[in-house]
Amino acid sequence: MAPKTAVSPLDLFAIDHLVDEEERDIQRTVRELVTERIKPHLAEWYEAGHVPVRELAPELGALGLLGMHLEGYGCAGTSATAYGLACLELEAGDSGIRSLVSVQGSLAMFAIWRWGSEEQKQQWLPRMATGEAIGCFGLTEPDFGSNPGGMRTRAVRDGSNGDWVLTGTKMWITNGSVSDVAVVWAQTDEGVRGFVVPTDSPGFSAPEITRKLSLRASITSELVLDGVRLPADAVFPEVRGLKGPLSCLNEARFGIVFGAVGAARDSLEATIRYAQERDIFDKPLAAYQLTQAKVADMGLELGKAMLLALHLGRLKDEGTLVPDQISLGKLNNVREAIKIARECRAVMGAAGITLEHPVLRHANNLESVLTYEGTSEVHQLIIGQALTGHSAFR
Ligand code: TGC
Ligand code: FAD
């Protein structure tokens, strides 16, 4: 019998019906950008361990993708769901490209937008929205990743003008060495506070972290603050304590709930295409029951992940989404995406290990995605606490 035409795994769920026209247009535009501008270079960037952030940022900014779901200051002000769909398409290219956009928009810009003074917003947000200025977000330290409350970076008041002096080291900071501005969280006498640090400040440096085997199309750096002196108004005026940085993580984690679906979708689509073309023992790999059981299970998990992402998007747009629900989404979707990418790699056999196909690149990237923005274990503990009432972090 002649083979039937294959459908894209997400079409099986008729997910298009759940997305409105404006959201679909945004998704289509980002998909085109990724297909035409980004995908042709990914293998090269991944191999080189370098991505031209300075070149890409203005192009991403021109499409309104930087600080996309924020209102005012040159930002596009789209729905949260539209932002999620953009993250999905970016990560269908590469998690590193989605990270570039997440860190700029959901971490650095969101922090300034939500907690900054009017002067800080005016100074940075319009230039960050266009991609002229790049931002990074320094929370993690060498000894404090999952437990950022233990951070050692310290900011103390100094001199009659009320200057701040910052000392410490941040670790694993995306976009660090290419940033114009760093949002840095530091201990003060009044608890954790956030600082807007121009990266040309004396005493600031951002050595790049090299030899990564994951997220190679992304720039990752240390931030070294060696007595960086800042004026009194460099601090976020009101917020104190961990809820400052954690409120920003909610935004970035939300984007990852969608983004992971993109990496999984791209892996599965590439694998189905390959299995249709690859003949083994005289017939296509796709025509074997064992292959079909795998692609059916992957398509099912992919569709469920997408439905979860859309559900959380709708909750966010109606203003009822809570952090525990974001943890459910991040835990499920990244965990399932990495399983899918690894399974796809196995289905492809040896071809799956090369940069000719995206599957091992996605799987390797997802190792970072599983760890950053709260490891799977951290999200299990957040959900466990919500369900049982007991905190098991300590
Ligand atoms: P805990 O005592 O639970 O809370 C301290 C204060 O924070 C409030 N809070 C939140 N506020 C807003 N959103 C949330 N999700 C919040 N979770 C907690 C809480 O109400 C409390 O407020 P207050 O006013 O009473 O002081 O804090 P804890 O020290 O026990 O830590 C909790 C824990 C472990 C869940 C948290 O620290 C955590 O999430 N750890 C993981 C760290 C993490 O995700 N780091 C990410 C760094 S950035 C990054 O990875 C970028 S990757 C690049 C990319 O995104 O693409
Ligand atoms: P650790 O906290 O040392 O955890 C090690 C292991 O212990 C993990 O398996 C963890 O799940 C487990 N664990 C932790 N706590 C518990 C517990 N209570 N019970 C049981 N098990 C536990 N950070 C930023 O601030 N800004 C960035 O831009 C940024 N970009 C990043 C980019 C990349 C590519 C990567 C890999 C990381 C980035 N990070 C960034 C850092 C990231 O957020 C941290 O790596 C993450 O929070 C985990 O911290 P850690 O690596 O120190 O692991």
Side-chain angles (χ1 to χ4, degrees):
M1 204 167 69
K4 288 189 177 169
T5 312
V7 295
S8 163
L10 284 183
D11 292 349
L12 279 177
F13 283 77
I15 277 165
D16 235 20
H17 291 281
L18 304 175
V19 178
D20 73 30
E21 211 168 300
E22 192 186 337
E23 292 164 345
R24 204 174 303 133
D25 281 348
I26 291 173
Q27 186 174 7
R28 202 175 295 129
T29 306
V30 182
R31 190 188 297 213
E32 274 167 25
L33 171 88
V34 170
T35 306
E36 285 160 23
R37 170 69 179 100
I38 292 175
K39 276 191 173 176
H41 302 285
L42 278 172
E44 176 198 328
W45 295 339
Y46 199 86
E47 204 157 29
H50 185 76
V51 63
V53 172
R54 284 270 163 210
E55 229 176 83
L56 282 178
E59 296 177 42
L60 297 164
L63 285 183
L65 296 174
L66 304 177
M68 178 177 168
H69 63 309
L70 307 181
E71 289 282 351
Y73 305 96
C75 302
T78 68
S79 70
T81 304
Y83 169 60
L85 291 167
C87 288
L88 186 155
E89 294 302 335
L90 292 167
E91 196 149 356
D94 192 274
S95 304
I97 306 298
R98 196 268 309 135
S99 244
L100 192 177
V101 169
S102 292
V103 169
Q104 175 86 350
S106 284
L107 293 180
M109 290 177 74
F110 180 84
I112 296 171
W113 182 86
R114 175 66 184 85
W115 302 114
S117 65
E118 190 52 35
E119 292 72 31
Q120 289 165 344
K121 293 178 195 184
Q122 296 287 356
Q123 183 182 359
W124 289 107
L125 293 179
R127 291 172 58 221
M128 292 173 86
T130 60
E132 183 195 337
I134 309 286
C136 65
F137 183 89
L139 178 63
T140 306
E141 298 190 354
D143 294 325
F144 299 95
S146 299
N147 176 24
M151 69 178 72
R152 295 205 183 103
T153 297
R154 184 134 187 97
V156 292
R157 294 267 193 189
D158 187 66
S160 55
N161 296 335
D163 284 357
W164 290 96
V165 176
L166 269 65
T167 305
T169 305
K170 297 290 175 182
M171 190 70 181
W172 303 112
I173 307 305
T174 303
N175 294 347
S177 59
V178 289
S179 283
D180 301 283
V181 60
V183 169
V184 173
W185 300 93
Q187 296 284 4
T188 74
D189 289 342
E190 306 150 274
V192 170
R193 298 192 71 180
F195 294 83
V196 180
V197 184
T199 57
D200 58 4
S201 306
F204 181 98
S205 60
E208 194 171 338
I209 298 172
T210 55
R211 308 187 78 190
K212 288 180 298 173
L213 295 174
S214 171
L215 227 74
R216 289 182 56 76
S218 173
I219 290 170
T220 317
S221 314
E222 274 180 71
L223 303 183
V224 180
L225 299 129
D226 184 8
V228 174
R229 180 173 289 274
L230 300 170
D233 62 4
V235 70
F236 290 148
E238 272 160 34
V239 70
R240 285 163 179 72
L242 272 189
K243 75 168 186 247
L246 292 178
S247 67
C248 307
L249 301 189
N250 294 334
E251 300 301 308
R253 289 169 179 175
F254 171 80
I256 292 172
V257 174
F258 281 81
V261 176
R265 187 197 70 196
D266 193 57
S267 300
L268 186 51
E269 284 178 351
T271 301
I272 292 171
R273 271 197 310 274
Y274 180 83
Q276 288 165 330
E277 285 160 15
R278 174 81 173 164
D279 278 349
I280 296 176
F281 290 107
D282 308 325
K283 69 175 186 181
L285 176 57
Y288 285 91
Q289 288 183 345
L290 282 173
T291 310
Q292 293 195 4
K294 288 175 188 165
V295 300
D297 285 349
M298 289 191 277
L300 181 58
E301 286 309 325
L302 180 63
K304 284 155 68 180
M306 186 63 196
L307 291 173
L308 175 56
L310 278 175
H311 175 60
L312 298 188
R314 297 301 176 215
L315 294 183
K316 187 161 167 57
D317 281 323
E318 73 183 28
T320 61
L321 186 67
V322 298
D324 297 344
Q325 294 167 329
I326 303 175
S327 287
L328 287 168
K330 203 247 174 194
L331 175 63
N332 183 75
N333 286 10
V334 180
R335 197 165 60 181
E336 294 308 320
I338 198 167
K339 279 192 216 158
I340 288 172
R342 287 171 180 161
E343 181 82 301
C344 285
R345 207 297 303 153
V347 170
M348 281 196 176
I353 75 160
T354 72
L355 280 168
E356 293 302 308
H357 300 283
V359 291
L360 188 56
R361 177 169 53 77
H362 283 310
N364 282 351
N365 284 338
L366 288 164
E367 295 288 347
S368 288
V369 184
L370 203 63
T371 287
Y372 68 32
E373 291 290 354
T375 64
S376 296
E377 291 77 11
V378 161
H379 290 295
Q380 285 175 317
L381 292 170
I382 291 171
I383 297 163
Q385 181 174 5
L387 292 176
T388 66
H390 290 281
S391 168
F393 287 106
R394 291 174 174 83

